[in-house]
Amino acid sequence: MTDVAHPPHEPVHEPAAIADHFRSVDSAPADYAVDRPASGTNGFLVTFVGISILAMCLRMILAHADVMDAPNDLVILSSGRGDVQFPLRMFLAVFFLTYALHAYSNIWRRLYLGLSLLGKFLTFCVLIDGVASLLHHVGIISISVFGAQMISGLLALAIFPHTVIRQAQLPPQGPLPLDPRIPPSAFLALASCLVLASAGAVIALRLFGHVVDVLKDWAILGGIGAGVFLMQQILATLTALLGVRALRRSRRQEFTAPVAVLVPAHNEAHSIADTIASVDAGAETYPDAIHLYVVNNASTDTTHEVAEAAIAACTHITGEVLDCPTPGKAIALNMGIEQIREEFVVRIDADTMIGPGCLETAMRHFANPMVGCVGGIPMPAEVNTWIDKCRLIEVYMRHGFFQVSLDGYQGVMGIPGMFAIYRRRQVLRVGGMVQGMNGEDTDICMRLAAAGYHNVADPKAVYYSETPASYAHLREQRTRWFRSIYHLAARNRAVLLDRRTMIGTFVLPFNLVNAARRAMLAPLLIYAAIAGFAFHTTFTSMRWQPIVATLLGMSMIMTVIVCLIWRPGSVKYIPAYLCFRVLRSYFTLAAVLTLVYPPMHPRIPGHVRLSSRRQRTWPTLTHRG
C-alpha cells in the first residue's frame, strides 16, 4: 500500500534546463561567498606570474651586479648550512601578496590582509633562521637551509587558513560542544600509528639510503622531504588497517529499525524517479519498514509530479511528497526532519541511487549506541567521460582509503549528504541542519562528534551518484565543496584544537592545512616552471625532481595500490586523475577567492567586523574579476 500526498498526474511542465540541475541558492551563500567568474582565478594567476617574474628579475639583477651575495631565497644567516635548491619562501611571499591583492573587499582590507599574511610569515622566517644559526654555531644541531625552508613552509600552510578565518566574513560560532567524550583508545590508536610511522620512515631512510637516493632521482620521493612523504603514507596505511578491523567488527552486529528516507529535491525531475526506484529495490531485502519523504524544494520543473508518480509505482515502501517553498537544501532537510516520525533518518540526494544491501550494511553500525552518523562509498553512476573516470579514482582514494583510515581512530569528520543515516533525536538535539552556508552535511557530523558520538564511513555500503555533466557543473561543485572547509572551521571554532575531540585535535587542523596546500599546488608548479626555465642561470642548483614529486611520487604509488585493490582496470585512469589533481588545485584556489572580506576604513581596527546583512549593499566593494 503506497501512501501518496497527492494523486499522480501527468507532468504539465518541461524539465528544467541542465544548468538548473546544479545551480541553487546553496551554490554561493549570499552572506559568506560571492559567485566570482573564472576570470577572478585567472586574474590571480596572471598577477602571480607577473609578480614572480618581477621578483626573480630583481634577484638576478642584484646577483649579476654583485650587490647581493646571499641565497636565492628569503634566507638569512645561512652560512655553513647548505645551499638553496628552490626559492620556496619567495614563492610563499608572492602567493600571499597576490592573494591579498585579489581578495574580495576594498583596498584597505586588502592592505591589512597582505600585511597580516606577510608579516606573520616573514617574522617566523627570521625566528627560524635565527634559532637555526644559533644551534649550528653552538654545535647542538645543524638545521640545513632546506630544513629551515621546509619548517617555514609548513608554518605558512597554517598561517594562511588562520588569517583567512580571522578576517573573512564567515558563519558565526555555532553551539558549543555538548559532551565530547571520544574514548582514550582512539587517541592511543592514532598516537601509536604516528610513532610507528615516524620510526618506520627513519629506519627506511637509514637502512635503505641508497634506494632513497634513487627514488629521489626518479621523483618518487621529495617535495617537502623524503621522510615526511614516507611517514604520511605509512601512517595512512597503518590507520587504514585499523579502520578495516573496526569496520568488520561493527558490521558483524545485527541491527535494524524503521527508517525514514528523506530526499530533498530542487529541479530534479530528470533523476528523482530513478532515486525512488532504487530505494524501493533496496527495501526488498530490508527487514523493517521504510517510508520515503520527497521534499520538493522550490522546484520550477515537474519534480513534484514525477516524484508522486514514482512513489505510486513502488511496491516495498510507502511515501509522500512534501512542498518546501523556501529555497535551500538545509531548509528542506529541517522541514523533513520535523515532519518524519521514525527514529532513523536516511538522507539521500535526488541524483543518488543506493546499491543492493546498502541500507542493511549501514544500519548494522547503529548497534553501537555511540554511533551518530553512517555513510558509504559514492560510486559514480557511469564511467564514460573524463570527469567520471577521474571521479572514480578520487572515490577510491578518498572514500575507499582515507575515510577508512579515519575510521581507524574515530576521526571521520564528515559524511557526504548524498547518502547519510542519522539518529533523528540527536540531530534535533544539536540544532538540526545549519542553513545559509556550505558544508551542512559535514557540520552536522562535527556537532554530533562534539556531542560525544562518532561517525562511520563504510565502503561496503555502496551507492551511486551523478557526476558533473559539464565543466561548468564541475567548477560549481568543487568551488562549493572546497569553500566549505572555511565555513565549517568558523562555525565550529569551539571544536578546533579541542583536545577532547579527535576532529578538533587532529582532523580539522589537518584539513585546513591540506586545503591551503592544495590551493598553492597549481601556483607552485607555475612558479617552478618560471624559475627552472626562464631563470635557470639564477637558480642553478634547483632540481626538478622535488617539484614533480609533489604531484607524483609516493602519492601516485599509493593511488596505484588502492586502485589495484578496488578495481585493477581503473589503473589506466590514473594519468587523467593526476592532471585532475592540478585542476582540483585550481578550483581550490577559486574557492578561497570567493570568500568575502568585510571592507574596512583606515581608522577601523582590523578585528572590527561589519554585519553580514550589509554585504549586499557595500558601496566600497570592488569586484576583481
Side-chain angles (χ1 to χ4, degrees):
M1 183 75 180
T2 303
D3 180 20
V4 191
H6 303 281
H9 52 276
E10 292 297 320
V12 294
H13 304 291
E14 293 296 323
I18 190 170
D20 294 330
H21 294 168
F22 60 90
R23 285 286 177 185
S24 71
V25 295
D26 299 309
S27 294
D31 288 337
Y32 310 119
V34 60
D35 189 10
R36 299 180 79 167
S39 58
T41 312
N42 297 336
F44 173 98
L45 294 176
V46 170
T47 304
F48 175 82
V49 169
I51 297 176
S52 298
I53 293 175
L54 181 63
M56 292 180 193
C57 285
L58 179 61
R59 179 65 187 86
M60 182 178 65
I61 292 171
L62 293 175
H64 285 282
D66 293 328
V67 175
M68 182 179 294
D69 183 20
N72 293 322
D73 199 9
L74 304 177
V75 179
I76 62 172
L77 305 173
S78 61
S79 178
R81 295 192 292 117
D83 298 325
V84 171
Q85 293 185 357
F86 179 76
L88 177 65
R89 289 179 174 177
M90 190 186 299
F91 157 74
L92 290 166
V94 172
F95 180 88
F96 287 158
L97 176 60
T98 308
Y99 179 73
L101 290 173
H102 283 264
Y104 193 82
S105 189
N106 69 346
I107 187 172
W108 297 110
R109 171 60 69 179
R110 294 181 193 136
L111 177 63
Y112 184 76
L113 180 62
L115 291 174
S116 298
L117 289 168
L118 290 172
K120 294 173 189 175
F121 177 61
L122 296 177
T123 299
F124 276 117
C125 288
V126 171
L127 289 174
I128 291 167
D129 287 352
V131 172
S133 179
L134 178 63
L135 294 175
H136 174 73
H137 284 297
V138 299
I140 297 176
I141 188 174
S142 181
I143 301 176
S144 67
V145 171
F146 175 78
Q149 285 181 297
M150 293 305 104
I151 294 172
S152 58
L154 291 173
L155 285 172
L157 295 179
I159 289 170
F160 185 68
H162 175 266
T163 305
V164 169
I165 291 172
R166 284 182 62 86
Q167 294 201 35
Q169 184 163 287
L170 295 169
Q173 167 67 59
L176 294 174
L178 300 173
D179 187 18
R181 52 178 185 273
I182 297 298
S185 58
F187 289 100
L188 179 61
L190 177 60
S192 301
C193 290
L194 279 170
V195 171
L196 290 174
S198 301
V202 170
I203 292 172
L205 292 175
R206 290 187 176 275
L207 295 183
F208 305 102
H210 62 289
V211 177
V212 170
D213 291 337
V214 173
L215 294 176
K216 285 182 179 180
D217 291 337
W218 284 90
I220 301 301
L221 288 175
I224 58 175
V228 175
F229 267 67
L230 280 172
M231 190 273 290
Q232 285 179 331
Q233 307 309 325
I234 295 172
L235 174 63
T237 302
L238 291 174
T239 51
L241 292 174
L242 291 180
V244 169
R245 180 175 175 231
L247 288 171
R248 284 178 177 173
R249 286 182 171 179
S250 182
R251 208 183 292 130
R252 283 198 293 262
Q253 304 295 318
E254 294 290 341
F255 185 85
T256 63
V259 298
V261 176
L262 187 59
V263 185
H266 172 74
N267 288 341
E268 298 288 355
H270 64 292
S271 62
I272 189 70
D274 291 335
T275 298
I276 294 171
S278 76
V279 175
D280 189 50
E284 185 176 0
T285 57
Y286 188 72
D288 252 305
I290 297 176
H291 190 78
L292 184 140
Y293 301 80
V294 174
V295 183
N296 180 34
N297 185 211
S299 296
T300 57
D301 66 357
T302 57
T303 295
H304 188 115
E305 294 85 353
V306 172
E308 283 187 332
I311 292 173
C314 291
T315 57
H316 302 100
I317 64 172
T318 57
E320 57 191 280
V321 179
L322 307 174
D323 280 308
C324 176
T326 306
K329 181 177 285 188
I331 296 173
L333 287 169
N334 284 329
M335 174 185 170
I337 291 171
E338 290 290 342
Q339 293 276 345
I340 69 175
R341 299 173 292 275
E342 294 78 6
E343 177 56 27
F344 291 90
V345 52
V346 182
R347 170 188 174 179
I348 299 179
D349 276 356
D351 59 1
T352 297
M353 292 172 286
I354 61 173
C358 179
L359 278 175
E360 298 97 299
T361 300
M363 285 296 294
R364 288 175 182 268
H365 298 285
F366 285 105
N368 180 352
M370 300 316 299
V371 170
C373 178
V374 178
I377 185 168
M379 301 299 294
E382 298 178 337
V383 185
N384 296 324
T385 68
W386 67 271
I387 297 177
D388 298 339
K389 295 169 184 177
C390 293
R391 176 58 178 165
L392 179 67
I393 307 300
E394 184 180 51
V395 165
Y396 287 152
M397 290 302 297
R398 170 62 181 162
H399 299 275
F401 181 58
F402 289 118
Q403 282 279 65
V404 176
S405 297
L406 295 173
D407 279 314
Y409 51 92
Q410 296 188 14
V412 176
M413 188 173 87
I415 299 295
M418 293 174 279
F419 171 81
I421 309 179
Y422 311 102
R423 296 180 187 271
R424 175 179 177 271
R425 190 177 306 167
Q426 302 309 327
V427 168
L428 294 174
R429 181 187 174 207
V430 299
M433 301 288 178
V434 63
Q435 301 173 7
M437 61 171 263
N438 294 132
E440 86 291 331
D441 50 359
T442 299
D443 176 76
I444 190 65
C445 293
M446 293 176 69
R447 284 185 288 126
L448 286 171
Y453 297 86
H454 71 273
N455 310 304
V456 175
D458 189 349
K460 291 291 185 180
V462 180
Y463 60 96
Y464 302 88
S465 187
E466 181 184 73
T467 52
S470 65
Y471 177 83
H473 184 182
L474 179 67
R475 179 179 180 273
E476 183 277 335
Q477 180 196 71
R478 295 313 172 103
T479 303
R480 170 167 41 88
W481 285 5
F482 298 149
R483 185 196 300 122
S484 69
I485 185 62
Y486 299 101
H487 290 184
L488 292 165
R491 176 168 163 78
N492 294 278
R493 288 182 179 91
V495 174
L496 186 60
L497 300 179
D498 186 339
R499 291 173 293 178
R500 298 172 297 172
T501 67
M502 183 60 68
I503 289 173
T505 302
F506 179 74
V507 183
L508 180 56
F510 176 82
N511 275 274
L512 284 168
V513 168
N514 191 51
R517 177 199 62 80
R518 197 168 54 230
M520 295 178 187
L521 177 59
L524 176 65
L525 295 176
I526 294 172
Y527 187 86
I530 295 172
F533 292 102
F535 293 89
H536 61 276
T537 58
T538 302
F539 304 102
T540 55
S541 60
M542 194 180 106
R543 302 173 71 240
W544 61 269
Q545 289 91 340
I547 306 301
V548 175
T550 61
L551 182 62
L552 304 176
M554 287 298 295
S555 61
M556 181 185 67
I557 293 176
M558 292 302 299
T559 303
V560 171
I561 293 173
V562 171
C563 288
L564 288 174
I565 292 173
W566 277 98
R567 181 177 170 183
S570 64
V571 171
K572 61 180 178 287
Y573 305 143
I574 291 179
Y577 171 69
L578 294 176
C579 296
F580 177 72
R581 288 180 62 192
V582 179
L583 182 61
R584 196 167 59 183
S585 169
Y586 174 83
F587 292 145
T588 307
L589 178 62
V592 79
L593 287 169
T594 64
L595 297 176
V596 174
Y597 290 84
M600 60 181 293
H601 189 275
R603 295 180 181 178
I604 300 177
H607 65 273
V608 175
R609 295 171 178 265
L610 300 182
S611 169
S612 63
R613 297 179 182 274
R614 296 177 55 189
Q615 177 202 332
R616 300 180 186 177
T617 57
W618 288 341
T620 57
L621 196 62
T622 302
H623 188 149
R624 298 186 61 87

